[in-house]
Amino acid sequence: MFLYNEVQKREANQERVRVGLIGAGKFGSMFLSQVPFTIGLEVISIVDICVENAKKNCRDVGWTKEQIESVLFFDNLKKMVSQTKIDVLVEATGDPVEGTKHALIAIEERLDIVMVNVEADVLSGPYLAKEADKAGIVYSMAYGDQPALTTELVEWARASGFNVVAAGKGTKYLPEYHYSTPDTVWDYYGLNREEALSAGMNSRMFNSFLDGTKSALEMAAISNATLLKPPSNGLQFPPAGMDHLSHVLRPRVDGGILESSGTVEVVSSLERDGRPVSKDLRWGVYVVLEAANEYAAKCFTQYGMNTDDTGRYSSMYKPFHLIGMELNTSIFSTAILKKATGCTKEFSGDVIATAKQNLKKGQLLDGEGGFTVWGKLYQADFAKKINGLPIGLANNVKLKNDVEKDAPVCWSDVDLDVNCPVVKIREKIKLTEEKIKKGNFTFDDYLLQLRQMKKMGGMEGVLSLLPGVGKVKEQMQNANIDEKLLISNEAIILSMTKKERSNPDIISGSRRKRISLGSGTDVQTINRLLKQFKMMSKMMKKMSKGGGPQSGMPPELFNQLK
């Protein structure tokens, strides 16, 4: 909000945000089309595997010869970062493995990242976000794409005090679309192959939109950013128009289709018999709200909002999105405000490769939008339980086992390069999640949590996002939590040695005195932090076994935070 005022100041001072773009495809081209008309920003360099195609796309969106000549073009990112100086890298390749590698280069170079590449974000986002935070840079979703726009609606709803029942987007969907291939995709769009080719339309990309993979990836990204849960057995794609969102997307106990409140879902623009849904949301995003009390429900009606028949549930939506043409909002927010327009918080949803046909041992998987697999959304814990292979790693890998149609492909079903950086990242994500759930985390992990906590508005901001913390949330709201402790705790942890952070039990009296001198605190404050850390470890172990803190935070730990 009020971002444009800051942009005008930048332009007046000739301090334009310097942007590097990697991937000048459809999204990148739509962004480039707005650049000549945007103040406070300049594109310094563009990376694409085919430089001539990138230049052609610049011409096609209206760039002049002089504008094209003012930009440096490269065929790989390492050349670009070594030869140009930029503030923000926009990653828009759509390749999950290469996108992850590009983000790691940007983190190493201390460049803020706008991650258009939702495939890479879902595959590696939890790790990349933490590494970016360690490096002191911003890792952001791309405004204009549906995950960031949906996350914005969720932020608005929560900041306004509403309970978020569901959030997501619309799409064109029928169950048979899951088995679509690049050979059949144009029939579903009402085009022939020649028409599609002449329009520059990529059959694999459009097939990923149709077969449900892209929807699953975008809902996983939203889940990971907002902590709204995915449905337990994949997206349901219920038919629903704008006027009926709050009727369809409410819990089953109240007559809707949701297993529970607080979930992501995609609504279809088609009824199951193929008839169009009235006032469909095919190109838009939405959030469903629940009134906190009778007064709020009356206000829904008084101000003309569409509600369900109980009057308790209503919705807000944005009917369209302009993808790359809206991207500047992320670039300016990242560079000027140092705030992400949505960012992965933790691993909540994952997208698993699922067989489109009976697959045979020795067959080569061809990834997103291909002939062999589509991506199905699962809760991350369940995806790990079934050992499901992420769709982002299901390209150009050979099967070791037969896989039946509609069954998930497992890690054990494929030959993967264990030295691949992205495979290693997924293993790190898995180990980190397991450590935290078991309570076996170190002060390095705790430091990351503190930094995330500060970004999310302190302790109360974190708890406002967590479902089912009951009494804990009430305690935090009724007490004055000393947020300065977050700052002093961070200083204490940074004054510890690596060995001390990984094994706090070795921190003896002399070590505590040294840490107090380094952090500018006293030994009593350090003792307090160590005690708090141990109590948090115990509480998290209890939570991992299903013993959540519904009865409230232990008084000893609660008092440590005041």
Side-chain angles (χ1 to χ4, degrees), residues 25-77:
K26 182 62 174 177
F27 196 110
S29 294
M30 291 182 76
F31 158 63
L32 293 171
S33 73
Q34 294 298 101
V35 170
F37 313 106
T38 304
I39 65 170
L41 175 152
E42 58 183 327
V43 173
I44 300 295
S45 51
I46 297 174
V47 178
D48 199 277
I49 54 174
C50 184
V51 167
E52 290 308 311
N53 276 353
K55 291 180 179 180
K56 178 183 179 297
N57 288 344
C58 288
R59 289 193 294 271
D60 290 346
V61 302
W63 280 32
T64 64
K65 180 181 178 182
E66 291 74 21
Q67 287 169 330
I68 295 172
E69 290 176 348
S70 70
V71 173
L72 295 173
F73 289 83
F74 300 92
D75 60 6
N76 73 73
L77 181 59

Side-chain angles (χ1 to χ4, degrees), residues 151-418:
T151 299
E152 179 185 46
L153 284 177
V154 173
E155 288 279 310
W156 163 82
R158 285 172 168 163
S160 300
F162 294 115
N163 178 45
V164 175
V165 178
K169 68 165 200 167
T171 195
K172 179 182 179 182
Y173 171 84
L174 289 173
E176 66 197 68
Y177 292 172
H178 288 311
Y179 312 107
S180 173
T181 72
D183 286 344
T184 64
V185 63
W186 302 127
D187 296 334
Y188 293 116
Y189 282 105
L191 299 171
N192 61 48
R193 183 183 295 273
E194 290 71 29
E195 288 173 328
L197 288 174
S198 65
M201 300 167 74
N202 183 297
S203 60
R204 287 179 64 96
M205 181 179 74
F206 276 83
N207 196 45
S208 73
F209 297 155
L210 191 73
D211 70 9
T213 302
K214 185 65 102 173
S215 290
L217 287 165
E218 291 181 331
M219 292 305 103
I222 294 166
S223 175
N224 293 341
T226 64
L227 307 187
L228 295 171
K229 285 187 176 181
S232 63
N233 192 33
L235 296 167
Q236 301 179 70
F237 297 95
M242 300 177 198
D243 292 344
H244 297 99
L245 291 169
S246 55
H247 177 79
V248 174
L249 297 170
R250 54 182 175 169
R252 287 174 189 164
V253 294
D254 291 325
I257 61 100
L258 302 181
E259 296 169 321
S260 61
S261 183
T263 188
V264 293
E265 187 56 82
V266 176
V267 293
S268 176
S269 63
L270 297 176
E271 301 285 355
R272 288 296 189 259
D273 60 7
R275 290 179 297 112
V277 166
S278 175
K279 297 179 71 174
D280 70 76
L281 198 66
R282 179 178 177 183
W283 309 106
V285 297
Y286 74 88
V287 62
V288 174
L289 322 167
E290 182 182 11
N293 54 32
E294 187 177 344
Y295 178 82
K298 287 180 179 178
C299 289
F300 284 171
T301 303
Q302 291 165 0
Y303 284 85
M305 292 183 70
N306 294 318
T307 67
D308 72 327
D309 50 13
T310 71
R312 289 172 49 207
Y313 298 100
S314 188
S315 63
M316 278 287 194
Y317 52 83
K318 184 176 182 179
F320 304 105
H321 70 296
L322 283 171
I323 62 170
M325 298 179 87
E326 299 181 70
L327 184 64
N328 291 341
T329 296
S330 283
I331 293 171
F332 287 134
S333 179
T334 297
I336 299 174
L337 303 182
K338 295 300 178 185
K339 296 286 185 183
T341 52
C343 178
T344 293
K345 292 187 174 72
E346 64 180 56
F347 203 35
S348 175
D350 201 4
V351 180
I352 301 305
T354 305
K356 289 185 175 182
Q357 54 182 282
N358 290 326
L359 301 174
K360 298 297 182 183
K361 178 181 177 181
Q363 193 168 350
L364 205 64
L365 300 183
D366 57 356
E368 181 184 356
F371 292 85
T372 58
V373 291
W374 62 280
K376 184 173 181 178
L377 177 66
Y378 287 103
Q379 294 176 9
D381 286 344
F382 185 75
K384 282 185 283 187
K385 185 176 180 180
I386 64 173
N387 201 28
L389 180 72
I391 188 70
L393 293 176
N395 188 35
N396 201 32
V397 293
K398 189 177 290 186
L399 284 172
K400 296 193 293 185
N401 306 304
D402 293 348
V403 180
E404 292 184 357
K405 182 179 179 180
D406 294 326
V409 180
C410 299
W411 284 81
S412 57
D413 290 325
V414 295
D415 274 320
L416 285 172
D417 179 6
V418 294

